[in-house]
Amino acid sequence: MVQTTSGAGTRLRTFERAVSVRIAESALALSGVLDLEQLHGWLAARKRQEVFDVRRVAFDEMRKWSRASETGNYAHESGKFFSVEGLSVAVSGGPVKEWSQPILNQPEVGILGILVKEFDGVLHCLMQAKMEPGNAGGVQLSPTVQATRSNYTQVHKGRTVPYLEYFRDTGGHRVLADVLQSEQGSWFYRKRNRNMVVEVSSDVEVLDGFCWITVGQLHRLLAEYDVINMDTRTVLSCLPFSAAGIASLFSFGGDDFQSSVIRSLSEDNGSLHSAGDVLSWITECRVGNDVATKLIPLAETTGWRLGDDVIEHETGAFFDVIAVEVSAGNREVHGWCQPMISPHGTGLVAVLVKRISGVLHVLVNARVEPGYLDVIELAPTVQCAPENYEHLPPEARPAYLDDVLEAPPDAIRYDTVLSEEGGRFFQAQNRYLVIEVGDDEHEDVRQDFRWLTVHQLTALIRHSHYVNVQARSLVSCLHSLSFAAPGGLG
Amino acid sequence: MVQTTSGAGTRLRTFERAVSVRIAESALALSGVLDLEQLHGWLAARKRQEVFDVRRVAFDEMRKWSRASETGNYAHESGKFFSVEGLSVAVSGGPVKEWSQPILNQPEVGILGILVKEFDGVLHCLMQAKMEPGNAGGVQLSPTVQATRSNYTQVHKGRTVPYLEYFRDTGGHRVLADVLQSEQGSWFYRKRNRNMVVEVSSDVEVLDGFCWITVGQLHRLLAEYDVINMDTRTVLSCLPFSAAGIASLFSFGGDDFQSSVIRSLSEDNGSLHSAGDVLSWITECRVGNDVATKLIPLAETTGWRLGDDVIEHETGAFFDVIAVEVSAGNREVHGWCQPMISPHGTGLVAVLVKRISGVLHVLVNARVEPGYLDVIELAPTVQCAPENYEHLPPEARPAYLDDVLEAPPDAIRYDTVLSEEGGRFFQAQNRYLVIEVGDDEHEDVRQDFRWLTVHQLTALIRHSHYVNVQARSLVSCLHSLSFAAPGGLG
């Protein structure tokens, strides 16, 4: 599988187009080990079997969690997992320059890993139908492994994490993606997970609750509400998804939307800005924003009411911190308590896209969030909970929000409600939108916005600190609009 | 100069080989606006003209600097520039797991910028012959602009920084490199500078102390002791240096060392590890090392003697912090005081290299330094002050140190003493070495080492947090061994 240079006896590897071709082939496959109908049947059965009870409790009712008397922080008795602390923030831009807030501090790096394997020549992903306490709609499709280090070093003395060994020791397997990526920078302090895709060629036992699914099937399910969970979306976005080398598989010479997405997957078709100019713009945005953050005791946050069963902002905006008790059937442990972040209302996560010379470009925003390690990350055009702006002046209204809210129906290319991480966030749903605008619209954009191709985003996602978790979700959504068209190509 | 796709009316840019060809052409030019003899004459004249007096003083004699009574930290009265604080460090690997130390805290991002321009079709760099108080040998060649934000926002009310406008507003110019890079992670807390190369086509006035120099001339001077300063070396390493497209300029079909360096500049010639495997290894090293750092009051560091005119380790090892008074001729201000770090002895910065299937590979080390923002950066094979290991047990001796110290003379491909940043470090000299080993040596390396091509390092240097400042210097040295051979090709 590895191409080598032509010299005799060489040990060197050269650029491998083969991987992206195999991913494209899997994206074209709407049928695999299971067909779509069987897949839906399996998911429905899992939803019936996974019986969870999630109940709100008071903070002092959380077993194994306690509040430190000096700081007011909430922490697990093991000192592991995560804690709820305070963060003070000072930024140079934006309508609000200084604030403090509760934040989840989870310094340990977890693993989000998808195991892939070929069946009949087509790559399949081993997915788990998994319930998380915060999930809207119950069970969602999660990666093969989704584990904090505390999980897999078994702090809670539960069962071992299945399939973990493929990701902890990749020797003998083929690593298709492996990168540390940030998560919600407004709710997590510098949290990162290791996003991995590992290909195995040996036999793999399929445990109860797991299923082999093609990329095309995952893309199809990504059009449904609350089926593909956040961890799956971010790991999928890290795949070396490309149109390079697939010309023989697929004709995309047209001037339709789908062809523009496929062209946008390949560097060869060009981009409005060169790769160097994009990196320079990111550097400029990092230097141009001063962000000072400091972990503080939760008790010292200002503007937040620290109640017995809820921590909430005085204005009622943003989010609450709550406590839940979970009774679970088949998890590593048979029930637990934990704090969760419960955001208000359904958020809006949207990109404007347009075809420039036939190549799809995405309007991204260099966005400051206090939990980022390196000042800014590229975010969707609009990422907000519209409710949060009600008590702020009109000039604080997010840029391009009206373009999104007033988009005509025939400009909407993707529109699905998806959940954020159900292990930390309670019923955190966002409406994810891809909205096409005319080639002549928004030619001049603000300094903190740029039109990039999907390929440029995919290239940045190979590295840490560049593309935020919401934008990575939308990259997966855009990938789903490329090869697997509604109506079926598989 | 910008290539576009062939479609009519396209506004898109595609991958530009032209830049690397033009850089290679400049690297081949040993004669430019000046020839080498004129250049040496100009440098010698600058050394005579730049009259500095650097004198050690006691800490309380430093004008405009003071010691905070509570913390013992030293800071400038403006609150700008940098401060001397303490850092407590706990790491999971290495012979010493916990320590504290003095550290320079310089949160503001400075600009290191080289302005380039074509003369007679050959790119030239506008270099400054500049004296810094810590420089060994007096004047060294520095980038066009080398300025902290405090410098260029004129905290010290001195003269304006010449040529700064080309880097603060790049509109209308062409940006060849623009990336935030770390500096010494053992002496600086998360310091980063913006490394920039900007091409201008309009006329540029050449001020006193500045000179247009080809890349080939800079490479030639890089073989001399203490001529090319650290800031120049790091900025040069950020150039998109490549052998792509230069086959027509240069024949490199041989099995000699130089041909292996040139082959190593191009992705097309392959590498021992794929790009994806290298990124996965870096991710693994980041996850596998726990590093906890915390700024503490300088007065609370343990194992350090805080004297009136020196801060030194109890063992006499590592480095001192000292205070100097500088009397300068033509700097932005006419004299100042500042603290400096004064390391002990000449350090050793060396890479082992070898030809694998005719392509040069460099043995790099994923190294933890407490000042890095993201756990590890790729460092040379060996980077140490041998003296510092004298009070540590033998197993603490750096890996591969003996390969470097015992290398036969004919294996040494580069051997020059170069200074580190003379604005913060006093007489900090390292011996930079490139040492070739046989193809069959060190096939199995430790988990924290890998054999990479020069191209792979150059690709990583486009991004932050990957390649440390010592390794970036050596990448520039390796570049200097590619096109411009001793004996002259220009």
Side-chain angles (χ1 to χ4, degrees), chain A residues 5 8-16 109 149 152 167-168 170 175 177-180 190 192 194 196 267-277 279-281 283-284 286-290 354-359 361 373-375 439-440 443 459-460 462-466, chain B residues 5 8-16 109 149 152 167-168 170 175 177-180 190 192 194 196 267-277 279-281 283-284 286-290 354-359 361 373-375 439-440 443 459-460 462-466:
Chain A
T5 54
T10 183
R11 293 182 279 140
L12 304 186
R13 304 168 69 150
T14 51
F15 178 72
E16 298 159 25
V109 173
R149 195 192 288 192
Y152 64 71
F167 302 94
R168 292 199 76 182
T170 58
V175 178
D178 185 3
V179 57
L180 296 175
R190 298 188 174 179
R192 298 195 298 174
R194 187 172 180 183
M196 301 180 81
E267 185 178 15
D268 302 336
N269 297 311
S271 49
L272 188 61
H273 306 288
S274 71
D277 286 348
L279 293 176
S280 179
W281 167 66
T283 301
E284 175 72 38
R286 291 204 162 124
V287 171
N289 280 289
D290 287 324
K354 68 171 169 174
R355 297 175 232 176
I356 304 179
S357 301
V359 176
H361 283 65
L373 188 65
D374 201 359
V375 189
D439 188 3
D440 55 345
E443 296 224 312
L460 292 172
R462 296 192 82 182
H463 308 283
S464 306
H465 315 301
Y466 277 126
Chain B
T5 55
T10 185
R11 291 181 280 142
L12 305 184
R13 305 169 69 151
T14 52
F15 179 72
E16 297 160 25
V109 173
R149 196 192 287 193
Y152 62 72
F167 302 94
R168 293 199 74 182
T170 58
V175 178
D178 184 3
V179 56
L180 296 175
R190 299 190 173 177
R192 298 196 298 175
R194 187 172 179 181
M196 300 180 81
E267 184 179 15
D268 301 337
N269 297 311
S271 49
L272 188 60
H273 306 287
S274 71
D277 287 347
L279 293 176
S280 179
W281 167 64
T283 300
E284 176 71 38
R286 291 206 162 125
V287 171
N289 280 288
D290 287 323
K354 69 170 167 174
R355 297 175 232 175
I356 305 179
S357 300
V359 176
H361 283 65
L373 189 65
D374 201 0
V375 190
D439 188 2
D440 55 345
E443 296 223 316
L460 291 172
R462 296 192 81 184
H463 307 282
S464 305
H465 315 300
Y466 279 124

Side-chain angles (χ1 to χ4, degrees), chain B residues 320-377:
Chain B
D320 297 343
V321 181
I322 62 170
V324 299
E325 180 180 44
V326 187
S327 313
N330 62 350
R331 284 295 287 271
E332 293 86 3
V333 289
H334 286 281
W336 69 92
C337 294
Q338 67 171 88
M340 300 195 86
I341 279 184
S342 172
H344 292 180
T346 298
L348 197 62
V349 177
V351 277
L352 301 186
V353 300
K354 69 170 167 174
R355 297 175 232 175
I356 305 179
S357 300
V359 176
L360 194 80
H361 283 65
V362 181
L363 188 58
V364 296
N365 172 217
R367 181 181 171 96
V368 171
E369 294 187 10
Y372 293 152
L373 189 65
D374 201 0
V375 190
I376 63 102
E377 294 193 10

Side-chain angles (χ1 to χ4, degrees), chain A residues 129-173:
Chain A
K130 187 170 186 175
M131 176 78 190
E132 294 281 2
N135 272 0
V139 162
Q140 299 191 9
L141 277 182
S142 83
T144 321
V145 166
Q146 176 179 317
T148 62
R149 195 192 288 192
S150 299
N151 279 142
Y152 64 71
T153 56
Q154 299 183 57
V155 169
H156 53 22
K157 304 183 178 64
R159 307 178 204 162
T160 59
V161 177
Y163 305 110
L164 184 65
E165 63 274 18
Y166 293 103
F167 302 94
R168 292 199 76 182
D169 178 6
T170 58
H173 310 308

Side-chain angles (χ1 to χ4, degrees), chain B residues 347-351 380 382-384 420 430-433 470-471 474:
Chain B
L348 197 62
V349 177
V351 277
V382 174
Q383 173 191 319
C384 69
E420 304 307 306
N430 282 307
R431 187 176 169 204
Y432 281 80
L433 287 160
Q470 291 88 352
L474 276 169

Side-chain angles (χ1 to χ4, degrees), chain A residues 255-328:
Chain A
D255 61 359
D256 57 309
F257 180 79
Q258 190 187 2
S259 294
S260 77
V261 182
I262 295 174
R263 281 192 211 98
S264 187
L265 299 177
S266 174
E267 185 178 15
D268 302 336
N269 297 311
S271 49
L272 188 61
H273 306 288
S274 71
D277 286 348
V278 171
L279 293 176
S280 179
W281 167 66
I282 292 171
T283 301
E284 175 72 38
C285 292
R286 291 204 162 124
V287 171
N289 280 289
D290 287 324
V291 178
T293 59
K294 194 178 159 195
L295 286 172
I296 58 171
L298 182 59
E300 291 179 16
T301 53
T302 54
W304 294 82
R305 274 193 292 265
L306 310 181
D308 292 335
D309 57 3
V310 65
I311 299 169
E312 58 191 342
H313 195 254
E314 288 169 354
T315 62
F318 310 118
F319 59 85
D320 296 343
V321 181
I322 62 171
V324 299
E325 180 181 43
V326 187
S327 312

